[in-house]
């Protein structure tokens, strides 16, 4: 094959890929919208409870919905491997769960359904329309342009959205904490007490205290957040402001918290955490993503997308590289830290005074 022919074929392949990619960008929202529809209709729950593949007729009867519209929904989701078709009899097929749809079982251990419901909600989608204005430095953040106040003020005034946030953070925490417990249990050796800063409804701390029962847990968050947190043995719920004071403990635990804030605020939070722990043997445990940690990591694209989410939904939040983590930890007075990988989107950062 001539060099010119090879070059031409390479250009055709690039054009073919661009043809596919541009349609994905044009209709990228459709996948999220249809998966959200499946969650809201209860399709996953119905098939899971049935414990075997369900015919379209059975599914239609169970969900009390229009058969032809449901078929089109299922055809789309089967194409994207959210569900699969399996033969039931010689003449009929049923819809069954796949590894992907098992991650959508409402109360499943690894369910991500609450996170999808949060990110696909009108409240969280509206700010994206103002992203370009934010990049042009228009003043207000995309969320403030859309709703007139920042995310946390909005959540405090809207209990329904606050619950969406708490449920989404809880489902994400269950996945990350399981990976943390499996991959780095030694992180909790020697700790008698630990404060979870920004602990939400206490899901993370509940899992940790159950696994490491010698630890007394303090779930620390805004008063309106901890007011709805369930009571759990071994956990004390404390309301307050992390910019003013953090309850004292052997270790301060922060999961997916610092990406909500700019460097200056992160340094303030970390300084309060440093004040809360023993100066001789205390530490701060940060469970968070680290951008550019491993170029071959299959989840790196998620970290980059999450960085865009932070730009759209927070005032100055961002995901950080290792050098950026080193900077804010050093400015907060921590003299050394180490990073440990786990089988999750996040890594574990242990910081010491």
């Amino acid at each position: 094959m001539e060099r010119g022919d090879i070059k031409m074929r390479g250009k055709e392949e690039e054009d073919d890929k661009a043809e596919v990619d541009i349609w994905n960008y044009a209709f990228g929202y459709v996948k999220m919208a249809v998966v959200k529809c499946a969650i809201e209709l209860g399709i996953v729950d119905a098939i899971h409870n049935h414990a075997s593949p369900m015919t379209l007729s059975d599914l239609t009867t169970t969900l009390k919905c229009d058969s032809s519209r449901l078929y089109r929904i299922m055809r789309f989701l089967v194409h994207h491997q959210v569900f699969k078709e399996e033969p039931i009899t010689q003449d009929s097929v049923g819809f069954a769960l796949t590894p992907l749809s098992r991650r959508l079982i409402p109360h499943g251990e690894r369910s991500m359904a609450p996170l999808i419901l949060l990110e696909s909600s009108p409240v969280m989608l509206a700010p994206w329309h103002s992203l370009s204005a934010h990049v042009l430095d228009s003043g207000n953040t995309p969320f403030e342009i859309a709703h007139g106040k920042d995310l946390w003020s909005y959540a405090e005034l809207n209990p329904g959205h606050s619950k969406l946030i708490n449920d989404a953070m809880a489902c994400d925490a269950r996945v990350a904490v399981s990976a943390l417990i499996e991959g780095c249990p030694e992180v909790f050796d020697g700790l008698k007490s630990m404060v979870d800063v920004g602990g939400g409804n206490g899901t993370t701390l509940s899992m940790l205290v159950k696994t490491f029962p010698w630890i007394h847990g303090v779930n620390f968050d805004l008063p309106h957040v901890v007011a709805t947190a369930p009571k759990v043995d071994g956990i004390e719920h404390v309301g307050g402001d992390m910019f003013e004071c953090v309850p004292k403990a052997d270790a301060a635990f922060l999961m997916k918290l610092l990406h909500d804030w700019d460097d200056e605020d992160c340094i303030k939070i970390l300084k309060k955490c440093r004040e809360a722990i023993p100066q001789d043997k205390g530490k701060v445990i940060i469970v968070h993503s680290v951008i550019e940690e491993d170029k071959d990591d299959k989840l790196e694209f998620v970290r980059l997308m999450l960085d865009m989410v932070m730009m759209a939904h927070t005032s100055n939040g961002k995901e950080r590289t290792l050098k950026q983590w080193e900077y804010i930890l050093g400015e907060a007075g921590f003299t050394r830290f180490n990073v440990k990988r786990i089988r999750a989107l996040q890594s574990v950062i242990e910081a010491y005074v």
Side-chain angles (χ1 to χ4, degrees):
M1 185 179 292
E2 297 293 332
R3 181 177 299 177
D5 292 336
I6 294 174
K7 187 175 181 180
M8 180 64 72
R9 177 171 292 183
K11 184 179 184 303
E12 288 176 353
E13 289 176 353
E14 289 178 350
D15 287 343
D16 288 344
K17 182 178 183 302
E19 176 74 10
V20 173
D21 289 346
I22 199 65
W23 284 110
N24 274 317
Y25 284 119
F27 294 112
Y29 65 91
V30 175
K31 288 184 186 179
M32 172 189 273
V34 179
V35 169
K36 177 185 181 180
C37 175
I39 296 169
E40 292 177 334
L41 289 175
I43 297 173
V44 179
D45 216 12
I47 298 175
H48 174 67
N49 292 335
H50 195 261
S52 62
M54 293 184 75
T55 64
L56 180 66
S57 176
D58 288 341
L59 200 52
T60 299
T61 300
T62 300
L63 301 178
K64 298 179 174 60
C65 61
D66 180 86
S67 178
S68 62
R69 292 171 189 156
L70 179 61
Y71 168 73
R72 290 160 65 189
I73 293 287
M74 297 306 293
R75 179 176 62 184
F76 179 89
L77 293 173
V78 166
H79 178 79
H80 290 285
Q81 302 178 337
V82 178
F83 299 103
K84 61 182 177 180
E85 291 181 317
E86 290 187 354
I88 296 178
T89 67
Q90 189 173 354
D91 301 316
S92 65
V93 296
F95 297 105
L97 300 182
T98 66
L100 184 53
S101 49
R102 289 191 185 96
R103 299 294 299 272
L104 299 174
I105 296 171
H107 302 292
E109 207 170 273
R110 292 171 58 80
S111 177
M112 296 291 278
L115 185 61
I116 291 174
L117 291 177
L118 171 68
E119 296 299 339
S120 63
S121 68
V123 172
M124 299 305 259
L125 288 178
W128 289 103
H129 295 289
S130 301
L131 187 62
S132 57
H134 184 51
V135 176
L136 291 169
D137 197 19
S138 65
N140 288 335
T141 66
F143 196 94
E144 290 170 331
I145 293 172
H147 304 295
K149 51 180 66 66
D150 65 50
L151 174 60
W152 313 117
S153 300
Y154 183 91
E156 187 171 3
L157 295 173
N158 294 271
H161 191 69
S162 181
K163 185 178 186 305
L164 270 182
I165 293 174
N166 289 336
D167 289 347
M169 295 305 99
C171 85
D172 192 26
R174 280 189 287 270
V175 175
V177 173
S178 295
L180 170 60
I181 291 170
E182 179 185 345
C184 293
E186 70 278 2
V187 168
F188 304 97
D189 288 349
L191 299 181
K192 293 181 180 179
S193 60
M194 184 171 69
V195 54
D196 186 356
V197 182
N201 64 8
T203 297
T204 295
L205 205 52
S206 297
M207 293 178 68
L208 292 173
V209 168
K210 183 178 180 180
T211 306
F212 310 107
W214 58 85
I215 296 177
H216 171 71
V218 179
N219 183 47
F220 180 63
D221 212 314
L222 294 169
H224 78 274
V225 175
V226 297
T228 60
K231 293 183 179 180
V232 178
D233 289 342
I235 293 178
E236 174 188 2
H237 297 293
V238 177
D241 185 343
M242 62 188 174
F243 289 102
E244 295 180 359
C245 182
V246 171
K248 293 191 178 300
D250 291 342
F253 184 90
L254 301 92
M255 174 178 281
K256 290 190 68 177
L257 171 75
L258 296 176
H259 68 173
D260 293 330
W261 307 94
D262 62 17
D263 288 354
E264 183 179 350
D265 283 333
C266 283
I267 292 166
K268 290 178 183 177
I269 295 167
L270 287 167
K271 283 182 176 179
K272 292 302 177 184
C273 291
R274 193 192 71 200
E275 293 170 5
I277 61 175
Q279 298 302 296
D280 54 344
K281 58 180 181 179
K283 64 178 176 179
V284 171
I285 304 166
I286 302 168
V287 181
H288 221 297
S289 64
V290 179
I291 288 181
E292 299 173 359
E293 186 177 344
D294 185 348
K295 289 294 186 181
D296 296 324
D297 193 324
K298 293 180 180 179
L299 293 178
E300 182 69 4
F301 79 99
V302 186
R303 298 184 186 99
L304 295 173
M305 286 198 294
L306 192 55
D307 186 47
M308 295 296 97
V309 172
M310 293 301 104
M311 190 183 297
H313 291 164
T314 69
S315 297
N316 292 293
K318 62 183 177 182
E319 300 303 319
R320 290 178 168 84
T321 64
L322 192 60
K323 286 185 177 180
Q324 290 171 326
W325 280 112
E326 183 177 9
Y327 170 74
I328 63 172
L329 287 168
E331 291 296 304
F334 293 92
T335 58
R336 60 189 176 94
F337 72 96
N338 61 63
V339 180
K340 298 180 179 180
R341 293 292 310 276
I342 56 176
R343 294 185 63 185
L345 184 64
Q346 300 84 6
S347 293
V348 182
I349 303 172
E350 293 177 286
Y352 303 87
V353 179

